[in-house]
Amino acid sequence: MRRVAAISAVVIVAAVIVVVIAGTVGSGAGGYRVEALFDNAGFAVPGEQVRVAGAPVGTIAGLSVTEQNLAEVTLSISNRDFVPFYANATCEIRPQSLIAERYVDCSPGSSNRHRLHRIKSGYGTGAYLLPVTQTSSPIDPDIVQNVSQESVRESLSVILDELGTGLAARGSDLNAVILRADPALAQTERVFTLLASENKVLAKLATDSDTVLSPLAKTRGSLADFVVQANKTATASAAERTQLAASIRLLPSFLKELKPLMADLGRLADQGTPVVKDAGSSAAALDTEFKTLVPFASRAKTAITDLGNAAQQSESSLVGSRGLAQQLQTVGTNAEPSSEALQKLLTSLDSTGGIEQLMSLLFYGVGATNGYNANGHYVRVAPVVGSCTAYARTAVAGCSANFSGASATSASSASAQVARKAVADVVGKAGSSKRTQSTTLRGLLRYLTGSRP
């Protein structure tokens, strides 16, 4: 029995723990190092990759065996973006190919947990310790397939028989080894443990789900239609898979070009923060303003409606006035030359002072003829008697009114002399108080008659 127990112990150790003894830590001593403890690190050799989510982040720097007969694998992490490792970090040795090559697949853990414990003395000083409870090793397919051989089956039967005897009092240790040997079982036990701790929540979930699913059952027709429409949508999307693939291929370049724009938008948001704050401080006033505009808008709506009704009623009149408007346009077009000539005339009168002189004539003429004394207002008159004032049926020499040739000049001169004499008499009678007015009248008279002083 002692021999059988010794053989069983050796077989168990050989089947569960295969340790490859290597040198101490190699080139990774200067980087971030993790001492990961495994039950089995078979076929793992220094220099193999350490990956996180499939991306290489370091290498296996060395392997050794602990006093507890655990494989201690030194991981050198060279990519600083994946350090440090946290308390919930995990590592698993995985097969890299069919020729027994291995790599270590790790998860650094969550940043909201504390970091791994650092080894302060002994082997691996300065590295971070990842316990065996957070690691796992693969079971090679050839070991499973060997069970189909008769000799292996018989040997396995003997091992199991002796295993039961040797581990009769160590069931918990065997259970821990089995769970670490198969990560799926460990995760399943964790799931069941979590579900057991949440049994009340699950019971409430069942009750609440019945409450939620009852309305869905009443509208199962709509739900079925949703599935049908989703099927049509998926079919249409599948028909456009080439264009969708092209869009996905162009997405990285689009994001690359979008990055500067987002940076500009970020700067714009930063610069617009004071404006938004000022707008926030003015929000109350703007709200009051908009509320005040509500009555105005209501009244304006009524006024615009009435204006539309008035426009609709006057539509026929406006349409009927189209002919008048066309005639006015014709008149305006034809009057354009006359208007231009009138403009030139008025401009000339304004620039030469003709209008002011005419106003002066009217003003001073009225003042010269209208007198005032102790008896009241009176009109000054001066009879003009000459050879041309008497009534005659035939033309009188020198009294012609036609301004042409020498006779026109002499007639003009005679008329000018008569006018000057009459004005002189009027001005002389007006007295010294009207001296300034008579001077202006003489100037105007010379301007109108064209004679010299």
Side-chain angles (χ1 to χ4, degrees):
M1 290 300 295
R2 291 179 179 177
R3 181 180 299 177
V4 172
I7 294 173
S8 299
V10 172
V11 172
I12 291 172
V13 172
V16 178
I17 305 175
V18 179
V19 178
V20 179
I21 303 177
T24 58
V25 178
S27 60
Y32 186 87
R33 293 181 298 124
V34 177
E35 297 293 339
L37 302 180
F38 290 87
D39 286 318
N40 183 2
F43 299 101
V45 296
E48 294 293 347
Q49 292 181 345
V50 178
R51 302 178 184 177
V52 174
V57 299
T59 57
I60 298 176
L63 298 99
S64 63
V65 180
T66 67
E67 295 178 355
Q68 293 79 22
N69 294 328
L70 296 175
E72 185 171 357
V73 182
T74 303
L75 308 178
S76 177
I77 310 300
S78 58
N79 192 331
R80 307 301 296 180
D81 294 334
F82 295 91
V83 296
F85 277 34
Y86 297 94
N88 60 342
T90 58
C91 286
E92 181 180 359
I93 297 177
R94 293 180 178 272
Q96 186 167 259
S97 63
L98 297 177
I99 59 175
E101 293 184 358
R102 298 287 188 267
Y103 73 94
V104 181
D105 186 19
C106 293
S107 172
S110 305
S111 60
N112 58 352
R113 304 291 294 273
H114 59 82
R115 300 183 180 184
L116 290 178
H117 174 70
R118 192 168 190 175
I119 302 173
K120 297 182 179 180
S121 62
Y123 181 83
T125 301
Y128 296 88
L129 180 63
L130 183 65
V132 68
T133 55
Q134 297 174 222
T135 63
S136 61
S137 303
I139 299 177
D140 294 330
D142 56 342
I143 296 178
V144 179
Q145 293 174 0
N146 288 338
V147 179
S148 62
Q149 299 179 7
E150 184 176 358
S151 58
V152 176
R153 288 201 305 271
E154 293 176 355
S155 300
L156 181 62
S157 299
V158 174
I159 292 173
L160 292 177
D161 291 339
E162 299 300 332
L163 183 63
T165 303
L167 299 176
R170 302 184 62 185
S172 58
D173 296 337
L174 179 62
N175 185 40
V177 171
I178 294 174
L179 289 176
R180 290 198 298 271
D182 190 349
L185 292 178
Q187 296 298 331
T188 302
E189 184 181 10
R190 293 176 184 174
V191 171
F192 286 146
T193 303
L194 180 61
L195 291 178
S197 64
E198 301 292 341
N199 53 357
K200 294 182 179 180
V201 177
L202 292 175
K204 188 175 185 302
L205 175 63
T207 304
D208 294 342
S209 62
D210 181 68
T211 305
V212 173
L213 293 176
S214 296
L216 289 178
K218 296 179 181 179
T219 59
R220 57 181 179 273
S222 301
L223 185 60
D225 182 68
F226 168 75
V227 174
V228 173
Q229 299 301 327
N231 181 37
K232 293 180 180 179
T233 303
T235 303
S237 300
E240 302 295 335
R241 57 183 177 274
T242 303
Q243 291 79 359
L244 291 175
S247 300
I248 293 174
R249 285 195 301 270
L250 294 175
L251 183 60
S253 59
F254 168 75
L255 294 177
K256 184 177 180 181
E257 296 178 359
L258 183 63
K259 186 176 180 180
L261 176 60
M262 298 305 295
D264 294 339
L265 288 177
R267 288 191 294 270
L268 176 62
D270 294 337
Q271 296 175 2
T273 301
V275 179
V276 175
K277 290 182 178 178
D278 294 340
S281 61
S282 303
L286 290 175
D287 182 67
T288 304
E289 186 70 21
F290 287 135
K291 289 181 179 179
T292 307
L293 287 175
V294 172
F296 171 77
S298 301
R299 293 184 176 86
K301 181 179 179 181
T302 304
I304 293 175
T305 303
D306 295 340
L307 181 60
N309 296 333
Q312 185 176 5
Q313 294 176 1
S314 61
E315 180 180 2
S316 57
S317 301
L318 293 174
V319 173
S321 65
R322 185 181 300 175
L324 176 61
Q326 292 177 352
Q327 294 177 2
L328 291 175
Q329 182 180 6
T330 303
V331 172
T333 302
N334 295 333
E336 184 177 0
S338 302
S339 300
E340 292 179 354
L342 180 60
Q343 180 184 4
K344 293 179 180 179
L345 174 60
L346 296 177
T347 302
S348 176
L349 291 175
D350 182 66
S351 61
T352 56
I355 297 177
E356 289 79 358
Q357 295 294 338
L358 181 59
M359 295 297 102
S360 298
L361 174 62
L362 295 177
F363 177 77
Y364 292 121
V366 171
T369 57
N370 185 19
Y372 180 79
N373 55 16
N375 297 322
H377 290 276
Y378 63 93
V379 178
R380 297 186 180 93
V381 295
V384 179
V385 180
S387 59
C388 296
T389 58
Y391 175 77
R393 292 187 177 183
T394 60
V396 178
C399 295
S400 176
N402 298 322
F403 298 93
S404 61
S407 59
T409 301
S410 60
S412 177
S413 300
S415 300
Q417 293 176 357
V418 173
R420 284 198 298 270
K421 182 178 180 182
V423 172
D425 294 340
V426 172
V427 173
K429 294 178 181 181
S432 59
S433 62
K434 301 297 184 178
R435 190 176 305 276
T436 303
Q437 298 178 4
S438 61
T439 303
T440 304
L441 288 176
R442 292 191 185 95
L444 178 60
L445 184 59
R446 288 194 299 269
Y447 173 76
L448 294 175
T449 57
S451 59
R452 296 182 179 179

